[in-house]
Amino acid sequence: MTWTPASWRELHANQQPDWPDTGELEAVLKTLSGYPPLVFAGEARSLQAALGTVAQGRAFLLQAGDCAESFDSFNANSIRERLRLILQMAVILTYSAGVPVVKVGRIAGQFAKPRSSPNETIDGTSLPSFRGHIVNDIAFNAEARTADPHRLVQAYHQSAATLNLLRAFTRGGFADLRRVHAWNQEFVSESPEGARYEQLARSIDRALRFMAACGLDTDTVPSLHETDVFTSHEALILGYEEALTRQDSLTGDWYDCSAHMVWLGERTRELDGAHVEFFRGIHNPVGCKIGPNATPDDVLGLCEALNPERVPGRLTLITRMGKDVVRSALPPLLNAVRDAGHPVVWACDPMHGNTFTSQSGRKTRDFDDILDEIAGFFSAHREAGTWPGGVHVELTSDDVTECLGGGEAILDDHLTLRYETMCDPRLNGRQSLDLAFRVAELLHARA
Ligand code: TRP
Ligand code: MN
Protein backbone atom coordinates (compact mmCIF):
# COMPACT_ATOMS: atom_id res chain seq x y z
CA MET A 1 0.00 0.00 0.00
CA THR A 2 1.48 3.38 -0.91
CA TRP A 3 1.60 5.89 1.87
CA THR A 4 0.11 9.37 1.79
CA PRO A 5 -0.64 11.74 4.69
CA ALA A 6 -4.27 10.60 4.25
CA SER A 7 -3.78 6.85 3.76
CA TRP A 8 -4.68 6.25 7.43
CA ARG A 9 -8.26 7.12 6.48
CA GLU A 10 -8.68 3.70 4.84
CA LEU A 11 -8.13 1.95 8.16
CA HIS A 12 -9.84 1.81 11.53
CA ALA A 13 -8.75 4.64 13.83
CA ASN A 14 -9.20 4.12 17.56
CA GLN A 15 -9.91 6.93 20.01
CA GLN A 16 -11.26 9.46 17.51
CA PRO A 17 -13.87 11.92 18.76
CA ASP A 18 -17.41 11.75 17.50
CA TRP A 19 -17.53 15.04 15.55
CA PRO A 20 -21.16 16.08 15.13
CA ASP A 21 -20.61 17.82 11.79
CA THR A 22 -17.99 16.21 9.55
CA GLY A 23 -18.40 18.97 6.96
CA GLU A 24 -17.37 21.54 9.54
CA LEU A 25 -14.48 19.30 10.65
CA GLU A 26 -13.13 18.94 7.11
CA ALA A 27 -13.41 22.70 6.54
CA VAL A 28 -11.35 23.35 9.67
CA LEU A 29 -8.76 20.76 8.64
CA LYS A 30 -8.48 22.40 5.25
CA THR A 31 -7.82 25.76 6.92
CA LEU A 32 -5.16 24.19 9.15
CA SER A 33 -3.47 22.55 6.21
CA GLY A 34 -2.83 26.03 4.79
CA TYR A 35 -1.26 27.36 7.99
CA PRO A 36 2.52 27.50 8.47
CA PRO A 37 4.19 24.42 9.98
CA LEU A 38 4.91 24.64 13.72
CA VAL A 39 8.31 22.97 13.45
CA PHE A 40 10.71 22.44 10.58
CA ALA A 41 11.96 19.21 9.09
CA GLY A 42 15.57 20.13 9.86
CA GLU A 43 14.75 20.45 13.56
CA ALA A 44 13.09 17.03 13.59
CA ARG A 45 16.22 15.65 11.94
CA SER A 46 18.45 17.21 14.64
CA LEU A 47 16.31 15.62 17.32
CA GLN A 48 16.52 12.28 15.52
CA ALA A 49 20.31 12.59 15.36
CA ALA A 50 20.43 13.41 19.09
CA LEU A 51 18.19 10.42 19.84
CA GLY A 52 20.54 8.35 17.70
CA THR A 53 23.28 9.06 20.24
CA VAL A 54 20.88 7.93 22.97
CA ALA A 55 20.22 4.68 21.07
CA GLN A 56 23.99 4.14 21.01
CA GLY A 57 24.28 4.63 24.77
CA ARG A 58 26.04 7.98 24.62
CA ALA A 59 23.26 10.28 25.86
CA PHE A 60 20.10 10.25 27.97
CA LEU A 61 16.55 11.30 27.07
CA LEU A 62 14.50 13.46 29.43
CA GLN A 63 10.92 13.66 28.16
CA ALA A 64 8.71 15.56 30.55
CA GLY A 65 5.71 17.80 30.86
CA ASP A 66 2.00 17.90 31.42
CA CYS A 67 -0.31 14.94 31.16
CA ALA A 68 -2.71 17.21 29.31
CA GLU A 69 -2.11 20.86 28.48
CA SER A 70 -4.99 23.20 29.18
CA PHE A 71 -6.56 26.05 27.22
CA ASP A 72 -7.27 27.76 30.55
CA SER A 73 -3.81 27.87 32.10
CA PHE A 74 -2.20 29.25 28.97
CA ASN A 75 0.13 32.10 29.86
CA ALA A 76 3.79 33.06 29.84
CA ASN A 77 4.23 32.16 33.47
CA SER A 78 3.04 28.61 33.10
CA ILE A 79 5.24 28.02 30.05
CA ARG A 80 8.31 29.52 31.70
CA GLU A 81 7.77 27.53 34.91
CA ARG A 82 7.47 24.24 33.05
CA LEU A 83 10.61 25.02 31.06
CA ARG A 84 12.47 26.03 34.18
CA LEU A 85 11.78 22.68 35.86
CA ILE A 86 12.86 20.74 32.77
CA LEU A 87 16.10 22.75 32.69
CA GLN A 88 16.72 22.06 36.38
CA MET A 89 16.21 18.33 35.90
CA ALA A 90 18.36 18.33 32.78
CA VAL A 91 21.20 20.12 34.50
CA ILE A 92 21.05 17.71 37.45
CA LEU A 93 21.27 14.76 35.07
CA THR A 94 23.98 16.32 32.93
CA TYR A 95 26.17 17.37 35.83
CA SER A 96 25.70 14.42 38.19
CA ALA A 97 25.68 11.65 35.61
CA GLY A 98 28.09 13.30 33.20
CA VAL A 99 26.11 12.38 30.09
CA PRO A 100 24.51 14.72 27.54
CA VAL A 101 20.76 15.04 28.02
CA VAL A 102 18.31 15.28 25.12
CA LYS A 103 15.43 17.45 26.35
CA VAL A 104 11.95 16.85 24.99
CA GLY A 105 8.86 18.49 26.48
CA ARG A 106 5.35 17.09 26.55
CA ILE A 107 4.43 20.60 25.56
CA ALA A 108 3.16 22.83 22.74
CA GLY A 109 0.64 20.26 21.47
CA GLN A 110 -0.01 17.73 24.25
CA PHE A 111 -3.77 18.24 24.33
CA ALA A 112 -5.53 15.04 23.28
CA LYS A 113 -6.33 12.24 25.73
CA PRO A 114 -7.29 8.63 24.96
CA ARG A 115 -10.17 7.41 27.13
CA SER A 116 -11.11 3.95 28.32
CA SER A 117 -14.80 4.64 27.64
CA PRO A 118 -16.38 6.91 24.99
CA ASN A 119 -18.98 8.07 27.53
CA GLU A 120 -19.04 9.13 31.15
CA THR A 121 -22.10 8.59 33.30
CA ILE A 122 -22.81 10.67 36.40
CA ASP A 123 -26.08 10.25 38.32
CA GLY A 124 -27.76 8.54 35.41
CA THR A 125 -26.71 11.17 32.84
CA SER A 126 -24.44 9.92 30.10
CA LEU A 127 -22.26 12.34 28.07
CA PRO A 128 -19.23 11.98 25.78
CA SER A 129 -15.99 11.59 27.78
CA PHE A 130 -13.58 14.51 28.07
CA ARG A 131 -10.89 13.96 25.40
CA GLY A 132 -8.65 16.94 26.09
CA HIS A 133 -9.04 20.62 25.24
CA ILE A 134 -8.24 20.01 21.58
CA VAL A 135 -11.61 18.21 21.37
CA ASN A 136 -14.04 19.32 24.10
CA ASP A 137 -14.25 20.78 27.60
CA ILE A 138 -14.14 18.99 30.94
CA ALA A 139 -17.34 20.54 32.37
CA PHE A 140 -20.10 17.95 32.64
CA ASN A 141 -22.81 19.32 30.37
CA ALA A 142 -23.84 18.45 26.83
CA GLU A 143 -22.50 21.63 25.24
CA ALA A 144 -19.07 21.40 26.87
CA ARG A 145 -18.68 17.74 26.00
CA THR A 146 -19.62 18.10 22.33
CA ALA A 147 -16.54 17.76 20.11
CA ASP A 148 -15.84 21.16 18.54
CA PRO A 149 -13.48 21.26 15.52
CA HIS A 150 -12.63 24.93 16.16
CA ARG A 151 -10.67 23.68 19.14
CA LEU A 152 -8.19 22.19 16.66
CA VAL A 153 -7.40 25.71 15.48
CA GLN A 154 -7.10 26.98 19.03
CA ALA A 155 -4.71 24.12 19.82
CA TYR A 156 -2.64 25.09 16.80
CA HIS A 157 -2.41 28.74 17.90
CA GLN A 158 -1.62 27.85 21.50
CA SER A 159 1.10 25.46 20.32
CA ALA A 160 2.57 28.16 18.06
CA ALA A 161 2.70 30.72 20.87
CA THR A 162 4.11 28.18 23.34
CA LEU A 163 6.79 27.12 20.90
CA ASN A 164 7.64 30.74 20.20
CA LEU A 165 8.29 31.38 23.87
CA LEU A 166 10.26 28.15 24.27
CA ARG A 167 12.50 29.13 21.38
CA ALA A 168 13.01 32.61 22.84
CA PHE A 169 13.80 31.29 26.33
CA THR A 170 16.19 28.57 25.21
CA ARG A 171 18.11 30.90 22.86
CA GLY A 172 17.72 34.26 24.55
CA GLY A 173 19.47 33.90 27.89
CA PHE A 174 16.94 32.14 30.12
CA ALA A 175 18.63 28.75 29.62
CA ASP A 176 22.13 30.19 30.15
CA LEU A 177 24.16 28.00 32.51
CA ARG A 178 25.17 31.17 34.37
CA ARG A 179 21.54 31.31 35.50
CA VAL A 180 21.36 27.87 37.16
CA HIS A 181 20.65 29.49 40.54
CA ALA A 182 17.79 31.54 39.16
CA TRP A 183 15.95 28.41 38.05
CA ASN A 184 15.38 27.38 41.64
CA GLN A 185 11.92 28.47 42.71
CA GLU A 186 11.47 30.06 46.09
CA PHE A 187 9.17 27.46 47.58
CA VAL A 188 11.48 24.72 46.36
CA SER A 189 14.78 26.29 47.44
CA GLU A 190 13.76 26.05 51.11
CA SER A 191 13.31 22.27 50.83
CA PRO A 192 16.01 19.57 51.09
CA GLU A 193 15.66 18.89 47.33
CA GLY A 194 16.07 22.61 46.66
CA ALA A 195 19.12 22.78 48.92
CA ARG A 196 20.67 19.84 47.12
CA TYR A 197 20.02 21.65 43.85
CA GLU A 198 21.64 24.85 45.20
CA GLN A 199 24.76 22.88 46.04
CA LEU A 200 24.90 21.49 42.51
CA ALA A 201 24.39 24.98 41.08
CA ARG A 202 27.35 26.23 43.13
CA SER A 203 29.51 23.43 41.72
CA ILE A 204 28.53 24.46 38.21
CA ASP A 205 29.45 28.09 38.98
CA ARG A 206 32.80 26.91 40.23
CA ALA A 207 33.36 24.80 37.11
CA LEU A 208 32.55 27.79 34.89
CA ARG A 209 34.93 30.02 36.87
CA PHE A 210 37.60 27.34 36.67
CA MET A 211 37.30 27.16 32.90
CA ALA A 212 37.45 30.97 32.65
CA ALA A 213 40.49 31.06 34.95
CA CYS A 214 42.18 28.52 32.72
CA GLY A 215 41.87 31.02 29.89
CA LEU A 216 38.82 29.62 28.15
CA ASP A 217 36.62 32.47 26.95
CA THR A 218 33.36 31.04 28.26
CA ASP A 219 31.36 34.04 26.99
CA THR A 220 31.82 33.01 23.41
CA VAL A 221 30.90 29.32 23.79
CA PRO A 222 27.23 29.14 22.69
CA SER A 223 26.65 25.70 24.17
CA LEU A 224 27.07 27.17 27.66
CA HIS A 225 24.39 29.76 27.05
CA GLU A 226 21.80 27.98 24.94
CA THR A 227 20.03 24.68 24.79
CA ASP A 228 17.51 22.81 22.67
CA VAL A 229 14.18 21.84 24.13
CA PHE A 230 12.18 19.87 21.58
CA THR A 231 8.41 19.41 21.58
CA SER A 232 6.34 16.22 21.56
CA HIS A 233 2.84 14.92 22.10
CA GLU A 234 0.71 11.84 21.61
CA ALA A 235 -0.48 12.08 17.99
CA LEU A 236 -4.02 10.94 18.64
CA ILE A 237 -6.33 13.09 16.52
CA LEU A 238 -5.19 11.98 13.09
CA GLY A 239 -7.05 14.66 11.10
CA TYR A 240 -5.09 17.36 12.96
CA GLU A 241 -1.77 15.57 12.45
CA GLU A 242 -2.51 15.02 8.76
CA ALA A 243 -3.33 18.71 8.29
CA LEU A 244 0.09 19.65 9.67
CA THR A 245 2.01 17.07 7.65
CA ARG A 246 4.19 18.69 5.00
CA GLN A 247 6.69 17.60 2.41
CA ASP A 248 10.22 18.81 3.13
CA SER A 249 11.50 20.77 0.15
CA LEU A 250 15.08 19.67 0.85
CA THR A 251 14.60 15.89 0.92
CA GLY A 252 11.09 15.34 -0.43
CA ASP A 253 10.27 13.42 2.76
CA TRP A 254 7.04 13.95 4.74
CA TYR A 255 7.16 15.37 8.25
CA ASP A 256 4.39 15.85 10.78
CA CYS A 257 5.17 19.49 11.54
CA SER A 258 2.89 19.68 14.62
CA ALA A 259 5.86 18.72 16.86
CA HIS A 260 9.43 17.49 16.63
CA MET A 261 8.51 14.07 18.00
CA VAL A 262 5.15 12.33 18.24
CA TRP A 263 4.24 9.12 19.98
CA LEU A 264 1.67 6.32 19.76
CA GLY A 265 -0.24 5.31 22.84
CA GLU A 266 -0.75 1.83 24.21
CA ARG A 267 -4.32 2.00 22.84
CA THR A 268 -3.46 3.14 19.32
CA ARG A 269 -0.50 0.99 18.40
CA GLU A 270 -2.19 -1.92 16.57
CA LEU A 271 -0.14 -2.87 13.52
CA ASP A 272 -3.13 -2.82 11.17
CA GLY A 273 -4.63 0.36 12.59
CA ALA A 274 -4.76 3.89 11.24
CA HIS A 275 -2.25 5.36 13.71
CA VAL A 276 0.58 2.98 12.79
CA GLU A 277 -0.22 3.61 9.13
CA PHE A 278 0.15 7.37 9.63
CA PHE A 279 3.36 7.02 11.67
CA ARG A 280 4.93 4.69 9.13
CA GLY A 281 5.21 7.46 6.53
CA ILE A 282 6.28 10.50 8.54
CA HIS A 283 10.00 11.04 8.98
CA ASN A 284 9.95 12.54 12.48
CA PRO A 285 11.48 10.63 15.34
CA VAL A 286 8.55 8.68 16.80
CA GLY A 287 7.77 6.98 20.08
CA CYS A 288 5.52 4.13 21.07
CA LYS A 289 4.22 3.26 24.52
CA ILE A 290 4.67 -0.38 25.50
CA GLY A 291 2.61 -1.87 28.32
CA PRO A 292 3.02 -5.11 30.29
CA ASN A 293 0.90 -7.17 27.90
CA ALA A 294 3.02 -6.50 24.83
CA THR A 295 4.73 -9.64 23.54
CA PRO A 296 8.20 -9.73 21.95
CA ASP A 297 6.44 -10.32 18.60
CA ASP A 298 4.26 -7.22 19.06
CA VAL A 299 7.34 -5.14 19.76
CA LEU A 300 9.35 -6.55 16.87
CA GLY A 301 6.34 -5.95 14.60
CA LEU A 302 6.32 -2.30 15.66
CA CYS A 303 10.09 -2.01 15.09
CA GLU A 304 9.69 -3.41 11.56
CA ALA A 305 6.67 -1.26 10.74
CA LEU A 306 8.04 1.99 12.15
CA ASN A 307 11.75 1.64 11.52
CA PRO A 308 12.39 -0.87 8.71
CA GLU A 309 15.60 0.97 7.75
CA ARG A 310 16.87 0.63 11.33
CA VAL A 311 17.82 4.26 11.71
CA PRO A 312 19.13 4.94 15.23
CA GLY A 313 16.98 7.61 16.88
CA ARG A 314 13.93 7.08 14.68
CA LEU A 315 12.12 4.89 17.23
CA THR A 316 11.82 5.32 20.99
CA LEU A 317 10.07 2.57 22.92
CA ILE A 318 8.53 4.01 26.06
CA THR A 319 7.84 1.19 28.48
CA ARG A 320 5.13 1.61 31.14
CA MET A 321 5.04 -1.67 32.98
CA GLY A 322 4.17 -0.97 36.60
CA LYS A 323 6.62 -1.50 39.44
CA ASP A 324 5.49 -5.05 40.20
CA VAL A 325 6.01 -6.46 36.72
CA VAL A 326 8.79 -4.34 35.21
CA ARG A 327 11.49 -6.78 36.35
CA SER A 328 9.75 -9.76 34.71
CA ALA A 329 7.94 -8.17 31.74
CA LEU A 330 10.75 -5.99 30.39
CA PRO A 331 13.67 -8.44 29.94
CA PRO A 332 12.04 -10.60 27.21
CA LEU A 333 11.34 -7.45 25.19
CA LEU A 334 14.86 -6.08 25.66
CA ASN A 335 16.38 -9.40 24.62
CA ALA A 336 14.17 -9.76 21.53
CA VAL A 337 14.87 -6.24 20.25
CA ARG A 338 18.59 -6.56 21.03
CA ASP A 339 18.83 -9.92 19.23
CA ALA A 340 16.97 -8.56 16.20
CA GLY A 341 19.50 -5.72 16.01
CA HIS A 342 16.94 -2.90 16.15
CA PRO A 343 18.59 0.33 17.32
CA VAL A 344 15.85 1.72 19.58
CA VAL A 345 15.90 4.23 22.40
CA TRP A 346 14.46 2.61 25.53
CA ALA A 347 12.71 5.09 27.79
CA CYS A 348 10.94 4.40 31.07
CA ASP A 349 7.50 5.88 31.71
CA PRO A 350 7.22 5.12 35.45
CA MET A 351 3.90 6.96 35.74
CA HIS A 352 1.16 5.20 33.79
CA GLY A 353 1.68 1.66 35.10
CA ASN A 354 1.50 2.90 38.69
CA THR A 355 -1.78 4.81 38.79
CA PHE A 356 -4.41 3.81 41.33
CA THR A 357 -7.42 5.28 43.12
CA SER A 358 -6.64 6.16 46.70
CA GLN A 359 -8.96 5.61 49.65
CA SER A 360 -10.15 9.19 49.34
CA GLY A 361 -11.21 8.42 45.76
CA ARG A 362 -8.48 10.41 43.98
CA LYS A 363 -6.52 9.03 41.05
CA THR A 364 -2.93 9.10 42.27
CA ARG A 365 0.57 7.62 42.07
CA ASP A 366 3.04 6.94 44.84
CA PHE A 367 6.47 8.50 44.47
CA ASP A 368 8.12 5.33 45.83
CA ASP A 369 6.36 3.20 43.21
CA ILE A 370 7.60 5.55 40.49
CA LEU A 371 11.18 5.26 41.76
CA ASP A 372 10.79 1.52 42.07
CA GLU A 373 9.77 1.15 38.43
CA ILE A 374 12.78 3.25 37.37
CA ALA A 375 15.08 1.08 39.48
CA GLY A 376 13.56 -2.06 37.88
CA PHE A 377 14.04 -0.52 34.44
CA PHE A 378 17.74 0.10 35.16
CA SER A 379 18.30 -3.39 36.51
CA ALA A 380 16.53 -5.05 33.55
CA HIS A 381 18.80 -3.11 31.19
CA ARG A 382 21.88 -3.99 33.16
CA GLU A 383 21.04 -7.69 32.79
CA ALA A 384 20.23 -7.43 29.08
CA GLY A 385 23.33 -5.38 28.38
CA THR A 386 21.19 -2.62 26.87
CA TRP A 387 21.24 1.12 27.57
CA PRO A 388 18.53 2.56 29.86
CA GLY A 389 18.09 5.49 27.51
CA GLY A 390 15.69 7.81 29.24
CA VAL A 391 12.70 8.67 31.36
CA HIS A 392 9.29 9.96 30.36
CA VAL A 393 7.45 11.72 33.18
CA GLU A 394 4.34 13.80 33.86
CA LEU A 395 5.07 16.82 36.00
CA THR A 396 4.28 20.41 36.78
CA SER A 397 6.40 22.99 38.53
CA ASP A 398 3.32 24.04 40.52
CA ASP A 399 3.19 23.13 44.17
CA VAL A 400 0.44 20.55 43.60
CA THR A 401 -0.51 17.57 45.74
CA GLU A 402 -1.37 14.93 43.16
CA CYS A 403 1.21 12.15 43.72
CA LEU A 404 1.71 10.61 47.15
CA GLY A 405 5.02 10.58 49.04
CA GLY A 406 8.25 12.32 48.14
CA GLY A 407 10.29 14.56 50.43
CA GLU A 408 7.29 16.30 51.94
CA ALA A 409 5.50 12.96 52.40
CA ILE A 410 2.21 13.82 50.74
CA LEU A 411 -0.53 11.65 52.24
CA ASP A 412 -3.92 10.63 50.93
CA ASP A 413 -5.53 13.34 53.11
CA HIS A 414 -3.39 15.99 51.40
CA LEU A 415 -4.44 15.11 47.86
CA THR A 416 -7.49 17.36 48.00
CA LEU A 417 -5.39 20.42 49.00
CA ARG A 418 -4.04 21.26 45.56
CA TYR A 419 -5.23 18.61 43.13
CA GLU A 420 -5.31 20.57 39.88
CA THR A 421 -4.67 18.16 37.02
CA MET A 422 -7.22 17.79 34.23
CA CYS A 423 -6.20 14.21 33.74
CA ASP A 424 -3.44 12.16 35.42
CA PRO A 425 -1.63 13.01 38.70
CA ARG A 426 1.68 14.81 38.10
CA LEU A 427 4.88 15.10 40.09
CA ASN A 428 5.29 18.54 41.66
CA GLY A 429 8.48 20.63 41.56
CA ARG A 430 10.11 19.04 44.61
CA GLN A 431 9.22 15.49 43.60
CA SER A 432 10.58 16.17 40.10
CA LEU A 433 13.95 17.42 41.38
CA ASP A 434 14.16 14.48 43.74
CA LEU A 435 13.45 12.11 40.85
CA ALA A 436 16.15 13.74 38.72
CA PHE A 437 18.72 13.26 41.51
CA ARG A 438 17.74 9.58 41.93
CA VAL A 439 17.93 8.92 38.19
CA ALA A 440 21.30 10.70 38.07
CA GLU A 441 22.56 8.35 40.82
CA LEU A 442 21.39 5.29 38.89
CA LEU A 443 23.04 6.60 35.73
CA HIS A 444 26.22 7.46 37.54
CA ALA A 445 26.43 3.94 38.97
CA ARG A 446 25.90 2.58 35.50
CA ALA A 447 28.42 4.77 33.62
N1 TRP B 1 24.02 23.35 25.75
C1 TRP B 1 24.21 22.33 26.75
C2 TRP B 1 23.01 21.40 26.82
O1 TRP B 1 21.96 21.76 26.34
C3 TRP B 1 24.49 22.94 28.12
C4 TRP B 1 23.34 23.72 28.68
C5 TRP B 1 23.09 25.04 28.49
C6 TRP B 1 22.32 23.21 29.52
N2 TRP B 1 21.96 25.41 29.19
C7 TRP B 1 21.47 24.30 29.80
C8 TRP B 1 22.06 21.94 30.07
C9 TRP B 1 20.33 24.10 30.61
C10 TRP B 1 20.93 21.78 30.86
C11 TRP B 1 20.09 22.85 31.11
O2 TRP B 1 23.12 20.33 27.37
MN1 MN C 1 -1.14 10.72 31.39
Side-chain angles (χ1 to χ4, degrees):
M1 191 164 129
T2 52
W3 186 90
T4 71
S7 54
W8 63 270
R9 290 174 182 259
E10 306 299 318
L11 299 165
H12 174 71
N14 278 335
Q15 296 286 339
Q16 300 307 289
D18 189 6
W19 305 100
D21 180 346
T22 49
E24 194 186 16
L25 170 68
E26 292 305 325
V28 164
L29 293 178
K30 186 151 180 285
T31 305
L32 275 176
S33 68
Y35 284 177
L38 293 171
V39 306
F40 303 105
E43 298 174 317
R45 279 192 289 272
S46 328
L47 173 57
Q48 182 157 296
L51 290 170
T53 65
V54 178
Q56 290 159 351
R58 294 188 284 120
F60 192 73
L61 167 66
L62 172 65
Q63 191 168 16
D66 243 309
C67 176
E69 286 177 277
S70 161
F71 283 1
D72 303 328
S73 57
F74 169 46
N75 53 63
N77 224 21
S78 122
I79 298 163
R80 192 188 52 237
E81 292 306 301
R82 275 176 288 164
L83 173 65
R84 151 147 86 178
L85 184 55
I86 291 174
L87 294 179
Q88 280 188 286
M89 293 175 78
V91 90
I92 290 170
L93 287 162
T94 313
Y95 186 82
S96 315
V99 290
V101 174
V102 181
K103 305 150 200 78
V104 181
R106 290 175 58 112
I107 196 166
Q110 174 49 30
F111 294 107
K113 300 312 299 171
R115 303 316 304 250
S116 48
S117 163
N119 293 302
E120 183 179 355
T121 305
I122 298 179
D123 298 332
T125 308
S126 194
L127 290 173
S129 294
F130 172 56
R131 290 185 179 273
H133 274 168
I134 194 171
V135 175
N136 56 7
D137 190 48
I138 201 162
F140 195 73
N141 63 68
E143 197 196 334
R145 290 295 175 93
T146 304
D148 176 2
H150 295 103
R151 287 178 168 270
L152 299 170
V153 180
Q154 196 176 341
Y156 168 88
H157 288 303
Q158 180 164 330
S159 301
T162 304
L163 200 44
N164 181 52
L165 210 52
L166 287 178
R167 292 188 201 280
F169 281 144
T170 52
R171 300 277 142 182
F174 185 81
D176 195 318
L177 280 181
R178 287 174 296 197
R179 296 189 75 256
V180 275
H181 290 284
W183 300 334
N184 217 2
Q185 283 166 288
E186 268 165 47
F187 71 87
V188 171
S189 63
E190 302 299 310
S191 70
E193 298 79 27
R196 193 173 176 192
Y197 177 83
E198 273 304 316
Q199 207 179 348
L200 179 134
R202 281 196 294 275
S203 310
I204 291 173
D205 279 347
R206 212 175 312 132
L208 291 174
R209 282 202 305 275
F210 173 69
M211 285 191 276
C214 290
L216 203 84
D217 184 1
T218 51
D219 288 345
T220 58
V221 183
S223 65
L224 296 174
H225 311 301
E226 299 176 354
T227 190
D228 285 314
V229 174
F230 296 97
T231 62
S232 71
H233 61 261
E234 176 173 357
L236 193 68
I237 311 296
L238 289 174
Y240 176 82
E241 304 299 336
E242 177 194 336
L244 286 166
T245 297
R246 308 297 159 78
Q247 197 166 18
D248 174 32
S249 54
L250 221 59
T251 59
D253 290 334
W254 292 91
Y255 283 84
D256 181 352
C257 297
S258 70
H260 299 110
M261 176 185 186
V262 284
W263 76 84
L264 289 166
E266 174 75 351
R267 297 175 239 208
T268 48
R269 62 167 174 76
E270 317 93 322
L271 286 176
D272 53 358
H275 287 84
V276 169
E277 171 61 18
F278 177 75
F279 272 60
R280 180 170 84 77
I282 57 170
H283 283 70
N284 308 58
V286 298
C288 184
K289 293 284 186 96
I290 303 288
N293 298 322
T295 65
D297 279 349
D298 293 340
V299 176
L300 291 177
L302 284 161
C303 291
E304 283 301 324
L306 297 172
N307 193 16
E309 316 276 342
R310 305 183 178 217
V311 182
R314 154 74 176 165
L315 179 60
T316 297
L317 296 176
I318 307 160
T319 59
R320 27 96 69 234
M321 297 295 171
K323 51 133 187 152
D324 291 329
V325 298
V326 60
R327 291 169 180 82
S328 57
L330 191 51
L333 306 181
L334 300 182
N335 295 338
V337 173
R338 181 200 60 206
D339 292 347
H342 272 287
V344 305
V345 170
W346 288 104
C348 174
D349 166 357
M351 314 294 292
H352 289 89
N354 297 305
T355 316
F356 62 95
T357 304
S358 74
Q359 296 238 296
S360 68
R362 294 279 181 173
K363 194 157 127 186
T364 190
R365 295 160 172 159
D366 192 314
F367 189 66
D368 286 338
D369 295 347
I370 291 167
L371 292 181
D372 191 24
E373 174 148 1
I374 297 175
F377 173 82
F378 270 82
S379 67
H381 279 281
R382 178 177 288 280
E383 262 164 55
T386 45
W387 175 243
V391 289
H392 180 121
V393 289
E394 291 183 342
L395 53 75
T396 170
S397 55
D398 297 340
D399 189 17
V400 299
T401 54
E402 298 172 6
C403 290
L404 301 169
E408 67 206 293
I410 295 174
L411 302 172
D412 193 4
D413 290 343
H414 303 144
L415 291 182
T416 47
L417 292 177
R418 289 178 304 281
Y419 193 94
E420 294 165 12
T421 185
M422 283 200 306
C423 196
D424 289 338
R426 303 159 298 174
L427 299 170
N428 64 26
R430 284 180 60 180
Q431 289 168 330
S432 300
L433 289 192
D434 199 355
L435 180 127
F437 279 115
R438 311 283 188 114
V439 172
E441 282 163 12
L442 288 165
L443 266 175
H444 186 75
R446 163 80 208 217

